[in-house]
Amino acid sequence: MGRVRNRLVLIALLAAGIVLPAGSQARTKPRQSGDPPRDGMLAQIAQGKTFGVRRAPIKIEDFTDFECPACRALYMKTLSPLIQQYVSSGKVYLVHHDFPLPMHRFSHQAAYYADAAAAIGRFGPVENALFTNQPKWAVNGKIEPFLAAVLTPAELRKVDELARTKEIHEAVQRDFALGTRLGVHETPTIFITYKGKRTPVIGAVSFPILERYLDALLHP
């Protein structure tokens, strides 16, 4: 019965057009002497963009573009309640991946700021500020005022400095390359991994539908 219910939820996602079958650059500054080594910083950035515990039974990877309206909708209407109900309870491990699309003028800069914030442990507030205020900064690229509302002056200076480094740019490029290898071609795209099986979900899936699918996996 559990397998049947799981399949029915997956069929509903397919019918909605949000699930596909499996398989389917700026100036930089030199690293400062007080910064962690390059590989250590890249690992620190990646870890800073995760939510929850790694041993959670379900892993969700979110490939997103901060200037993408659908990504904003997914973040605000789906991922926020997901964090509250599934991540905080240890059921889901959520991983953010940057996938800035070329048609968006300021998406790379937003990703650089977000990854710089991740490097100092402040990714969550910056991610929220970027998506919440997307309609404003996407007009002219003036992102800093919205970051100033969630970071201290010292944190903002550090984020602005890090956002120009090659390590931050490489972190964004690595995410994009990973998404390309996995077949990501639009945002948002999430991958749900459970018991070794990775299922791609395309578009701003609603929380009720995602909730049904996750519950079907957790309670077959």
Side-chain angles (χ1 to χ4, degrees):
M1 182 63 183
R3 291 183 179 178
V4 172
R5 181 155 60 103
N6 193 344
R7 288 178 181 175
L8 288 174
V9 174
L10 186 55
I11 288 171
L13 291 171
L14 284 165
I18 54 180
V19 174
L20 295 181
S24 52
Q25 304 118 341
R27 182 176 301 176
T28 63
K29 285 184 177 180
R31 180 172 62 87
Q32 300 299 312
S33 59
D35 291 336
R38 173 181 165 278
D39 289 343
M41 175 173 279
L42 291 173
Q44 185 173 322
I45 294 166
Q47 180 60 35
K49 297 189 292 183
T50 66
F51 299 86
V53 293
R54 190 181 295 271
R55 66 178 181 274
I58 296 176
K59 178 181 179 181
I60 295 182
E61 298 171 271
D62 172 34
F63 287 83
T64 194
D65 177 327
F66 286 108
E67 200 173 338
C68 163
C71 295
R72 180 177 186 266
L74 180 73
Y75 171 79
M76 301 188 74
K77 298 180 181 179
T78 302
L79 297 185
S80 292
L82 175 79
I83 290 173
Q84 294 175 5
Q85 297 188 35
Y86 288 86
V87 175
S88 62
S89 62
K91 297 176 182 177
V92 169
Y93 180 56
L94 179 62
V95 180
H96 169 100
H97 292 298
D98 300 296
F99 203 81
L101 298 173
M103 74 279 291
H104 292 146
R105 292 176 59 196
F106 310 113
S107 59
H108 276 84
Q109 188 63 30
Y112 296 152
Y113 277 125
D115 281 32
I120 66 169
R122 297 289 286 159
F123 177 77
V126 167
E127 178 185 40
N128 184 67
L130 287 171
F131 277 128
T132 300
N133 298 287
Q134 181 197 91
K136 299 175 183 177
W137 62 258
V139 175
N140 53 25
K142 294 183 178 179
I143 299 173
E144 295 90 340
F146 303 108
L147 304 189
V150 297
L151 299 175
T152 67
E155 289 172 339
L156 183 59
R157 285 193 298 271
K158 186 61 176 177
V159 164
D160 184 65
E161 175 186 320
L162 287 172
R164 305 170 190 271
T165 64
K166 62 181 181 181
E167 288 86 358
I168 294 297
H169 294 191
E170 183 176 345
V172 173
Q173 291 165 0
R174 282 189 175 191
D175 274 0
F176 192 88
L178 173 61
T180 300
R181 290 197 300 272
L182 292 176
V184 176
H185 55 85
E186 62 183 271
T187 58
T189 294
I190 67 173
F191 290 88
I192 303 172
T193 301
Y194 179 70
K195 293 186 176 180
K197 181 180 179 182
R198 177 186 276 150
T199 301
V201 180
I202 312 299
V205 57
S206 70
F207 180 68
I209 291 179
L210 182 60
E211 183 179 34
R212 286 171 56 201
Y213 184 59
L214 296 180
D215 286 346
L217 294 178
L218 293 168
H219 308 290

